[in-house]
Amino acid sequence: METKKYSSYAEIDRELEILKIEKEINYQKLVLSVQKTKESLEPQNIINGFLGSYKTILSNSYLKIIQAAIPYLIGWFMNKKRGH
């Protein structure tokens, strides 16, 4: 990397401000990426993704019934696993 030569402190301050903004943008992109990854790994989104691939096979009414029943089935399974 080539060393930059500055002719004034104003140029240095401007360059530092640009770098600070670029750093913040990259940080926010990383945060958004982590949030999207977390959301995609939630059980409901995994199941919806799985069911979405079979959307053409299932009619919309069956899909809505299945999507409504999934939270209850997960709750029932979790309670059964805990012994309640």
Side-chain angles (χ1 to χ4, degrees), residues 29-73:
K29 284 181 181 180
L30 178 66
V31 168
L32 181 61
S33 177
V34 168
Q35 286 176 336
K36 285 183 177 183
T37 302
K38 282 182 180 178
E39 288 174 6
S40 69
L41 294 175
E42 291 177 354
Q44 183 177 0
N45 291 333
I46 292 172
I47 293 169
N48 285 339
F50 177 75
L51 292 177
S53 63
Y54 292 101
K55 196 172 190 176
T56 56
I57 297 170
L58 300 173
S59 70
N60 284 335
S61 61
Y62 287 122
L63 187 59
K64 288 179 182 179
I65 291 169
I66 291 172
Q67 285 178 334
I70 287 173
Y72 295 108
L73 292 172

Side-chain angles (χ1 to χ4, degrees), residues 68-82:
I70 287 173
Y72 295 108
L73 292 172
I74 291 173
W76 174 80
F77 180 73
M78 295 300 277
N79 286 335
K80 184 176 180 179
K81 199 170 189 179
R82 291 184 194 144

Side-chain angles (χ1 to χ4, degrees), residues 5-16:
K5 295 189 180 193
Y6 299 99
S7 60
S8 69
Y9 286 111
E11 284 182 38
I12 295 171
D13 287 340
R14 192 182 83 226
E15 183 75 20
L16 288 172

